[in-house]
Amino acid sequence: MLKIDDSVKNVERQAAAAALRLLLEQVPAIQLLAIEHEALSPDHGVDIVAHFEVYGRRQALVCEVKSTGQPRHVRLALLQLRDYVMNQAKDAVPVFIAPYLSPEAQALCREHEVGYLDLEGNARLALDSVFIERQVASKPAVERRELRSLFKPKSAQVLRVMLRDPQRAWRVTELAEAAEVSLGHVSNVRVGLLDREWAQVSSEGLYLSEPDVLLDEWRDAYEPPVGRRMSFYTTLHGSSFEEAARRVMSSQHATGLLAMASFSAAHWLAPYGRTGTQYFYADDAGLEHLRSGLKLSSASKGENVTVTLLKDLGVFRDTVEPAPGVTCTSPVQTYLDLAAAGERGREAADHLRQERLKWQK
């Protein structure tokens, strides 16, 4: 009787074998002879062997099948697969198969000269006179869920702390204290970063090795903070609005939370272009300060002030003060909000990133 783990492995290998068969049978020059499932053994080093002919010449693919395609796991599997080929199947072509391989994981396969295939349809095989390469833009639902989980509010607090200084190494306990989250949240983020090879561990602790890649993925998966979005109108403009806003932000710390956001924050962090609307994040008390200090009135149209009452207040733990009396969302948070704000926002986000989010390795 198979163990549960062996049963799962069998299902994974069957799916991998079916995907491999479908790929090879689409190439007229390839005559597929057989696909064998190797014996279940943790020391065997290969899961599938495919025998085929190309223009009358017999060849074989030796394939390692894994349930995850995260770069850290891919790297280890590639080394094992290359070692197996060198010692036991020198004429065979090594291939790595997983449910999904990110661009980073695919790059690892190319670096190690190992072919790859995932169940989303990405593939690259070099078979002497035949070369197969296919790229798809989709990500499986489980991968999207995992990324969204990594960027949820509590996890995001950890990421924002680390992105302040990517080269700083953190112990788990001090990172939890700095981000004001539990050790469990930090541990989950740590695993997610290490699996994707966006972070590494030194003798001093955990640090970000690929902050730009992390920020790219966060931007692409970004969901704006949950909250009630409210629109208002103010008669204040230009310098009079700026002076009033600074008075409000200077006086509200004891009884409320409030910060300029999006284009309004970008105006102070990395000016790119003015907008007719001012943006704020606030809690209930912060909103009342804004109402009185900026003389806000409700507006169904013609609004020029937008305030989002945040459900989770983690964003306020990472605000900055680029000028006396001015509180803004951090460069990272501002970048994410701008990147999600349409074409003009993406242009402002790119400018902000060039000015405030350039990291040296």
Side-chain angles (χ1 to χ4, degrees):
M1 183 176 179
L2 288 175
K3 296 179 181 178
I4 292 177
D5 288 349
D6 290 348
S7 178
V8 171
K9 183 70 171 179
N10 262 331
V11 172
E12 293 172 352
R13 293 198 303 179
Q14 288 169 6
L20 182 61
R21 179 183 295 277
L22 180 62
L23 179 67
L24 296 177
E25 288 180 343
Q26 290 177 346
V27 182
I30 295 177
Q31 180 183 357
L32 183 60
L33 302 176
I35 293 183
E36 302 172 351
H37 292 202
E38 293 299 288
L40 285 169
S41 169
D43 301 321
H44 198 80
V46 64
D47 294 299
I48 296 171
V49 177
H51 301 277
F52 60 95
E53 287 186 357
V54 178
Y55 300 119
R57 182 173 180 268
R58 289 194 62 141
Q59 295 187 54
L61 301 177
V62 291
C63 310
E64 178 75 6
V65 180
K66 293 294 184 183
S67 59
T68 177
Q70 295 296 353
R72 181 168 65 158
H73 301 284
V74 172
R75 188 183 297 276
L76 177 60
L78 293 178
L79 294 174
Q80 294 173 339
L81 186 55
R82 287 295 304 273
D83 181 69
Y84 175 84
V85 170
M86 290 179 61
N87 292 290
Q88 300 188 52
K90 293 183 178 179
D91 295 329
V93 176
V95 180
F96 182 80
I97 305 177
Y100 172 70
L101 294 169
S102 67
E104 293 80 11
Q106 295 174 34
L108 279 175
C109 292
R110 292 193 295 271
E111 177 186 329
H112 287 79
E113 298 182 337
V114 171
Y116 60 79
L117 168 66
D118 70 22
L119 304 188
E120 287 296 297
N122 296 294
R124 188 178 190 273
L125 298 176
L127 312 172
D128 289 343
S129 56
V130 174
F131 181 75
I132 303 170
E133 186 166 32
R134 186 168 61 190
Q135 294 285 328
V136 299
S138 63
K139 289 182 180 179
V142 64
E143 176 71 11
R144 294 194 298 271
R145 285 197 301 270
E146 288 180 1
L147 279 174
R148 284 198 296 268
S149 177
L150 186 59
F151 302 132
K152 287 292 184 183
K154 293 297 183 184
S155 300
Q157 288 175 214
V158 178
L159 298 178
R160 282 192 291 263
V161 168
M162 297 188 72
L163 282 168
R164 292 175 197 164
D165 182 4
Q167 293 182 326
R168 174 176 173 173
W170 294 88
R171 301 295 184 189
V172 171
T173 51
E174 64 178 352
L175 184 54
E177 291 174 2
E180 298 184 37
V181 300
S182 69
L183 292 174
H185 271 108
V186 172
S187 179
N188 290 337
V189 171
R190 183 180 186 275
V191 170
L193 294 174
L194 291 175
D195 280 352
R196 291 169 175 81
E197 296 192 337
W198 298 344
Q200 294 183 20
V201 177
S202 69
S203 57
E204 287 79 28
L206 180 75
Y207 69 95
L208 292 177
S209 54
E210 296 292 344
D212 285 302
V213 177
L214 166 61
L215 191 56
D216 286 343
E217 291 286 350
W218 195 353
R219 175 199 62 207
D220 294 344
Y222 181 64
E223 296 178 348
V226 176
R228 181 184 175 194
R229 188 181 174 95
M230 307 175 69
S231 297
F232 300 96
Y233 176 77
T234 179
T235 57
L236 300 175
H237 298 279
S239 59
S240 60
F241 176 90
E242 181 179 306
E243 291 172 4
R246 293 175 84 152
R247 285 196 298 271
V248 171
M249 288 186 284
S250 297
S251 63
Q252 54 82 35
H253 293 289
T255 57
L257 296 172
L258 170 64
M260 284 186 166
S262 189
F263 290 98
S264 299
H267 171 69
W268 292 96
L269 297 173
Y272 183 75
R274 287 191 174 274
T275 177
T277 302
Q278 300 291 337
Y279 297 87
F280 294 89
Y281 285 145
D283 65 1
D284 288 329
L287 173 60
E288 293 310 310
H289 284 288
L290 284 174
R291 283 184 188 271
S292 59
L294 300 183
K295 302 178 181 178
L296 300 182
S297 59
S298 299
S300 58
K301 60 181 180 179
E303 64 272 7
N304 55 8
V305 175
T306 295
V307 182
T308 302
L309 287 177
L310 295 183
K311 182 178 180 180
D312 183 273
L313 304 180
V315 169
F316 294 114
R317 295 184 175 90
D318 194 41
T319 56
V320 295
E321 190 172 323
V326 177
T327 302
C328 295
T329 52
S330 68
V332 167
Q333 184 63 43
T334 305
Y335 170 77
L336 295 171
D337 286 333
L338 288 173
E343 183 175 354
R344 187 158 179 256
R346 288 192 292 272
E347 293 174 354
D350 290 341
H351 177 71
L352 173 66
R353 188 161 178 173
Q354 288 293 322
E355 293 293 317
R356 299 296 299 268
L357 296 171
K358 298 289 285 186
W359 296 294
Q360 293 182 347
K361 289 188 177 182

